[in-house]
Amino acid sequence: MRSLSCLCAVLSISSLNVIWAQFHPAVPIPFAKHKLDGGAYETVAVADVNKDGILDIIAGARWYQGPRWQPRFIRNIMKWDIHFDSLSDIAFDVNQDGYTDILTCYFVEKRVSWFENPRGHWGREAWQEHTIGPSGGHVELLFFVDLEQAGEPHALFPNMLFDAPIVWFDYDYENGVPSWTRYDISPNGNGHGMGFGDINGDGRMDVILPTGWYEAPEDIRKGAWKPHLDFRIIPKERRNAAGNIYVYDVDDDGDADMLTGAGHDYGVYWWEQIPGNGGTSNWEVHTIDETWSQAHSAAMADMDGDGDLDLVTGKRFWGHGGRDPGSLEPGIIVWYELQRGASPAWIKRVIDYQIDMGVGMQLPVVDVDGDGDLDLIAVGKKGLFLYENLTRHLGK
């Protein structure tokens, strides 16, 4: 087993009766771990489902009513192999009735749908499914993006495997009716992992895949997306399986860099953009950490309040059963504190490291309890966990 460097702290507690910080003064953020369910779903979103002013957790077949996290039924989900056929949940009020609905996707059935909130009638079989459309491939992740940068997401992207088409569904709401229009970017090129951001500094939102990026045209609905197939996100000697791909100026030099983890191998990386001649760019990979494997999902958040975004990620337990490198090693949730600048540094902050936990396909970082600090929700084949940030509780 590979050793963990910079192991700042290990968290294995299950309730608030911890005096964690006094034993680990070097750790800037203490967390309390709460296991909410032992189920095996790997999707999670956070929203106020029942309009009581308190955030709830949506995970697979159930939603959990805060603050006591009472499980309530949403839908049945088909199981295939060791997975359930739903790998992303996104909370969004599709029909504009004031209640949060759920966007979701299907790997086996190759389509995307939304489930309508029953507005108080949360009994069995109460959430009605509406199909958005066939995807054209096996959907592993779903992204809801503000391509127009107008303040609201509208572009639903299914991230599909095996060189599938790159498509998106454009959301609109008119005369009381929601609609979705499909647009095609490329007949192939989709792959394991996806991200969005302005790569070339033209003010438009580009689409990033593991083997290159697609430049957004001025008219995102009628124009052609120009492919720039000039990099490979995960080094060639490792499996070409990125997770979430983030665009961020890591070295603070004015251009866009990229960050991601190897979803089915060891490694967390950032890619430095080095401008070349004729408007082209070269990309240099930098290792953040290669001591643990399967960083399938990740989030960017300012964990320490210094104005820079940090990287939060964790190990996906049994993404391919026991076939991935490091599959049987302990799970981990970690955030990398970014010290941004010409020579950026990443300080490793371990939140949890033990065998009985893991992260699935999504990792929300949000102030779940409304106390002013950022909490984490981790869900996977080991269960559903809330990592409560204790910063405000301890007066830090």
Side-chain angles (χ1 to χ4, degrees), residues 227-247:
H228 298 266
L229 307 180
D230 52 6
F231 59 73
R232 182 175 291 271
I233 286 287
I234 298 299
K236 291 183 180 181
E237 65 271 16
R238 296 192 181 277
R239 300 183 184 207
N240 183 23
N244 299 97
I245 303 171
Y246 288 98
V247 176

Side-chain angles (χ1 to χ4, degrees), residues 155-190:
L156 188 65
F157 278 83
N159 181 215
M160 296 177 279
L161 306 187
F162 315 125
D163 203 28
I166 305 170
V167 306
W168 61 283
F169 296 88
D170 192 19
Y171 167 77
D172 194 18
Y173 183 81
E174 189 174 0
N175 298 324
V177 179
S179 64
W180 300 89
T181 303
R182 173 173 165 153
Y183 293 94
D184 290 57
I185 292 177
S186 173
N188 50 40
N190 216 323

Side-chain angles (χ1 to χ4, degrees), residues 294-353:
Q294 299 169 99
H296 204 293
S297 58
M300 296 289 291
D302 184 5
M303 297 297 296
D304 52 5
D306 65 354
D308 295 330
L309 295 182
D310 308 299
L311 180 63
V312 187
T313 185
K315 179 188 183 75
R316 184 187 179 199
F317 177 77
W318 273 35
H320 287 154
R323 301 190 300 274
D324 290 336
S327 290
L328 300 181
E329 294 175 5
I332 188 173
I333 296 181
V334 60
W335 66 280
Y336 296 95
E337 179 186 340
L338 173 59
Q339 295 184 346
R340 196 168 173 230
S343 299
W346 299 89
I347 301 175
K348 186 175 183 177
R349 309 291 192 184
V350 176
I351 296 171
D352 197 0
Y353 176 61

Side-chain angles (χ1 to χ4, degrees), residues 109-346:
E109 298 182 13
K110 300 180 182 180
R111 62 184 172 89
V112 291
S113 293
W114 67 279
F115 280 83
E116 184 177 351
N117 191 318
R119 298 187 300 177
H121 302 285
W122 292 296
R124 210 166 164 78
E125 308 296 342
W127 293 67
Q128 182 181 357
E129 181 176 6
H130 304 268
T131 298
I132 294 172
S135 59
H138 297 284
V139 188
E140 180 153 306
L141 289 168
L142 200 61
F143 298 90
F144 201 30
V145 185
D146 181 12
L147 280 183
E148 295 180 312
Q149 302 181 71
E152 291 289 338
H154 66 95
L156 188 65
F157 278 83
N159 181 215
M160 296 177 279
L161 306 187
F162 315 125
D163 203 28
I166 305 170
V167 306
W168 61 283
F169 296 88
D170 192 19
Y171 167 77
D172 194 18
Y173 183 81
E174 189 174 0
N175 298 324
V177 179
S179 64
W180 300 89
T181 303
R182 173 173 165 153
Y183 293 94
D184 290 57
I185 292 177
S186 173
N188 50 40
N190 216 323
H192 196 299
M194 182 176 274
F196 307 88
D198 183 6
I199 293 290
N200 58 349
D202 65 357
R204 295 194 285 267
M205 190 75 71
D206 306 307
V207 178
I208 300 95
L209 278 304
T211 53
W213 62 283
Y214 289 77
E215 181 180 344
E218 186 173 352
D219 188 331
I220 58 174
R221 295 173 180 83
K222 296 181 180 179
W225 293 68
K226 181 180 178 180
H228 298 266
L229 307 180
D230 52 6
F231 59 73
R232 182 175 291 271
I233 286 287
I234 298 299
K236 291 183 180 181
E237 65 271 16
R238 296 192 181 277
R239 300 183 184 207
N240 183 23
N244 299 97
I245 303 171
Y246 288 98
V247 176
Y248 188 62
D249 185 5
V250 174
D251 50 8
D252 200 20
D253 64 354
D255 58 28
D257 307 304
M258 297 182 296
L259 306 94
T260 194
H264 296 284
D265 209 329
Y266 287 92
V268 181
Y269 309 93
W270 74 276
W271 291 74
E272 179 183 1
Q273 183 173 183
I274 304 173
N277 297 323
T280 62
S281 291
N282 298 312
W283 297 88
E284 182 179 351
V285 62
H286 300 270
T287 298
I288 298 174
D289 193 357
E290 287 187 327
T291 63
W292 58 277
S293 70
Q294 299 169 99
H296 204 293
S297 58
M300 296 289 291
D302 184 5
M303 297 297 296
D304 52 5
D306 65 354
D308 295 330
L309 295 182
D310 308 299
L311 180 63
V312 187
T313 185
K315 179 188 183 75
R316 184 187 179 199
F317 177 77
W318 273 35
H320 287 154
R323 301 190 300 274
D324 290 336
S327 290
L328 300 181
E329 294 175 5
I332 188 173
I333 296 181
V334 60
W335 66 280
Y336 296 95
E337 179 186 340
L338 173 59
Q339 295 184 346
R340 196 168 173 230
S343 299
W346 299 89

Side-chain angles (χ1 to χ4, degrees), residues 15-35:
S15 64
L16 272 175
N17 53 356
V18 267
I19 357 178
W20 203 71
Q22 73 182 36
F23 297 111
H24 300 274
V27 179
I29 301 177
F31 288 88
K33 178 181 177 182
H34 308 271
K35 188 170 186 177

